[in-house]
Amino acid sequence: MELPRIAVELGLFLDTTADIAESEQLFELLSEFAQNFDCPWIAYGPLAADQMVLKPARRDTAIMWNYPDEWQERYSKMDYARIDPIIKKGRKKVRAFRWSEVYKEVSTTEDERRVLDEAATFGLRYGVTVPLHGPGDSFAFMSFAQSSDCEFQDRTITHLQIAAIQFHLRVAKLSNEVAPRQSHNLSPKEIECLFWVARGKSSGEIGTIVGRSGNTIDFHLKNVMRKLDTTSRTVAAIKAVKLGIIEP
């Protein structure tokens, strides 16, 4: 793959991610980008501060990976997340690193090497992981793997690292945008009513817009005021804007 084409593909990826509003779509886009480097397998995992197990750090985040189904089943069945050297070493590293580097480290145990050996039998022969450290000791990682007997070049790792950081930032932004809605448990219909209140609509007008009676709209807005701890629908709308629940 020639350098100019790499730059074009990376630029296209960075530009396109700005318009994606779903984490799953971002993951698909990153998967397509990784294919430029013969990497069919990628995995993303956000973990809590002291967490070593491969589980979501928050309810609004998710583990995303497209590793072979057989390896995913084997990995989960054997509880390999507890001894996976990639997760363990990733917490201590800042830069992207090759799996082969971890395999050769003196501190890596035989049990940890076995995880990488078994991964290779399922097609994940060579890999590179990008540590993604955040505030409050939060941690996530992005791994890229390939089945060919060819180690990752430094230039390839640089481009994959840039893409991984962009992916992580976009996923974090989407999670933060969803969080306010979840924290107050507002239903989609309640948010819709609140949206129209912010635009000066009465209950009757909102009912006409959404196809419900004025009494039903009043019912939804009373629930909204209770959940947002306000005594006025107007104040509730202002508060919802400040919290990012609705657009101004």
Side-chain angles (χ1 to χ4, degrees), residues 200-211:
K201 301 296 183 181
S202 66
S203 293
E205 290 172 326
I206 298 172
T208 300
I209 293 171
V210 303

Side-chain angles (χ1 to χ4, degrees), residues 193-227:
C193 291
L194 203 53
F195 171 86
W196 289 114
V197 168
R199 280 145 184 79
K201 301 296 183 181
S202 66
S203 293
E205 290 172 326
I206 298 172
T208 300
I209 293 171
V210 303
R212 296 289 188 275
S213 70
N215 288 336
T216 299
I217 301 304
D218 286 337
F219 172 78
H220 287 313
L221 290 174
K222 286 180 181 178
N223 285 334
V224 167
M225 289 186 286
R226 175 177 56 79
K227 292 178 180 179

Side-chain angles (χ1 to χ4, degrees), residues 3-245:
L3 181 57
R5 186 186 168 194
I6 293 177
V8 170
E9 293 291 343
L10 179 59
L12 181 61
F13 171 80
L14 297 177
D15 290 341
T16 306
T17 54
D19 299 322
I20 302 298
E22 297 290 339
S23 297
E24 291 77 10
Q25 292 179 339
L26 285 170
F27 187 80
E28 291 176 4
L29 192 64
L30 182 60
S31 298
E32 293 176 4
F33 177 73
Q35 290 283 2
N36 290 302
F37 305 94
D38 296 323
C39 292
W41 318 119
I42 67 175
Y44 173 73
L47 304 176
D50 299 322
Q51 193 176 356
M52 295 301 295
V53 184
L54 191 63
K55 294 180 179 178
R58 289 167 32 180
R59 291 195 315 176
D60 55 322
T61 57
I63 303 298
M64 291 179 276
W65 54 350
N66 66 355
Y67 288 174
D69 292 340
E70 296 82 1
W71 174 235
Q72 292 189 35
E73 292 174 6
R74 174 68 175 174
Y75 191 95
S76 299
K77 179 180 179 181
M78 300 300 294
D79 200 16
Y80 279 159
R82 295 186 180 278
I83 59 172
D84 190 337
I86 302 304
I87 297 176
K88 176 182 175 181
K89 305 296 183 181
R91 286 191 176 279
K92 301 177 182 179
K93 294 180 179 293
V94 177
R95 65 173 180 82
F97 58 90
R98 298 176 179 87
W99 294 359
S100 59
E101 297 173 18
V102 174
Y103 193 92
K104 296 174 183 177
E105 287 184 4
V106 176
S107 60
T108 302
T109 68
E110 288 304 313
D111 285 341
E112 292 170 344
R113 290 193 180 94
R114 187 178 74 249
V115 176
L116 297 178
D117 286 336
E118 287 198 31
T121 66
F122 287 89
L124 288 75
R125 298 180 61 83
Y126 285 89
V128 61
T129 292
V130 181
L132 300 162
H133 297 277
D137 294 328
S138 61
F139 171 74
F141 67 89
M142 173 62 73
S143 291
F144 302 88
Q146 58 187 17
S147 56
S148 61
D149 292 321
C150 182
E151 190 60 275
F152 285 85
Q153 297 181 358
D154 290 342
R155 190 170 62 189
T156 296
I157 294 177
T158 297
H159 286 87
L160 290 177
Q161 181 168 263
I162 294 173
I165 292 173
Q166 173 69 1
F167 172 87
H168 177 61
L169 292 175
R170 288 293 298 146
V171 169
K173 185 176 187 298
L174 292 176
S175 296
N176 289 334
E177 290 174 350
V178 171
R181 294 173 172 82
Q182 294 180 335
S183 63
H184 295 286
N185 296 316
L186 296 184
S187 70
K189 185 60 66 177
E190 290 168 350
I191 293 173
E192 184 179 18
C193 291
L194 203 53
F195 171 86
W196 289 114
V197 168
R199 280 145 184 79
K201 301 296 183 181
S202 66
S203 293
E205 290 172 326
I206 298 172
T208 300
I209 293 171
V210 303
R212 296 289 188 275
S213 70
N215 288 336
T216 299
I217 301 304
D218 286 337
F219 172 78
H220 287 313
L221 290 174
K222 286 180 181 178
N223 285 334
V224 167
M225 289 186 286
R226 175 177 56 79
K227 292 178 180 179
L228 295 183
D229 192 26
T230 64
T231 57
S232 154
R233 63 176 65 187
T234 301
V235 174
I238 294 173
K239 187 172 183 178
V241 170
K242 290 181 179 179
L243 291 172
I245 296 174

